[in-house]
Amino acid sequence: MSHIESMLETYPKDLGGIDRQKLTDCIAACFECAQTCTACGDACLSEDMVAELTKCIRTNLDCADICVATGKILSRHTGYDANVTRAVLEACRVTCKACADECENHAQMHEHCRVCAEACRRCEQACAELLGALG
């Protein structure tokens, strides 16, 4: 059992009808994507042709920030607002798609971009699945 699962299990109130597995998967995907995007942006800065990666770096940083915020919001349940959760999940899904699309443009030349695109696609999918489960 992951720490995310343990924390959801120990929450003292009812979480309602939310799919705990989808919630757990999404929180994990958000934090993993944030770390991967941060590392990819840093790796881009180390490339010889860094000027050609400006948009990729910017997209990596934006995605990392959105993913961290989404993971944090999904980890809080007191005073839950479904509208805020849906909006944040949609923003994260869209940002992850944009980052994956951008990283895929560089994946043939830069392995870190290929890895990052995979993490972004996984997070994009996890956000979409949780959104679908929220109804």
Side-chain angles (χ1 to χ4, degrees):
M1 179 178 283
S2 72
H3 287 103
I4 295 168
E5 290 170 310
S6 295
M7 290 307 295
L8 290 174
E9 289 295 323
T10 62
Y11 186 70
K13 302 285 185 193
D14 182 15
L15 290 175
I18 194 161
D19 184 319
R20 286 181 187 231
Q21 190 58 56
K22 283 185 175 37
L23 178 60
T24 299
D25 292 347
C26 194
I27 292 169
C30 284
F31 288 127
E32 183 174 310
C33 190
Q35 185 279 325
T36 304
C37 287
T38 299
C40 186
D42 182 66
C44 286
L45 288 170
S46 294
E47 294 291 350
D48 292 336
M49 302 165 84
V50 69
E52 294 176 15
L53 297 168
T54 302
K55 184 176 179 188
C56 192
I57 295 165
R58 169 61 190 265
T59 307
N60 285 152
L61 295 175
D62 288 349
C63 192
D65 289 346
I66 293 290
C67 286
V68 166
T70 302
K72 286 179 164 185
I73 289 168
L74 293 177
S75 297
R76 296 191 290 257
H77 305 286
T78 304
Y80 173 77
D81 185 330
N83 292 322
V84 171
T85 300
R86 282 187 199 94
V88 170
L89 281 167
E90 182 61 18
C92 190
R93 187 193 66 74
V94 168
T95 305
C96 286
K97 181 186 182 324
C99 193
D101 290 348
E102 180 61 29
C103 279
E104 285 171 354
N105 290 333
H106 309 285
Q108 293 286 337
M109 185 175 271
H110 306 294
E111 182 68 7
H112 53 84
C113 286
R114 185 194 62 74
V115 171
C116 189
E118 287 178 5
C120 289
R121 292 287 181 218
R122 179 174 173 261
C123 191
E124 175 189 7
Q125 183 64 36
C127 288
E129 288 178 10
L130 185 56
L131 270 167
L134 294 177

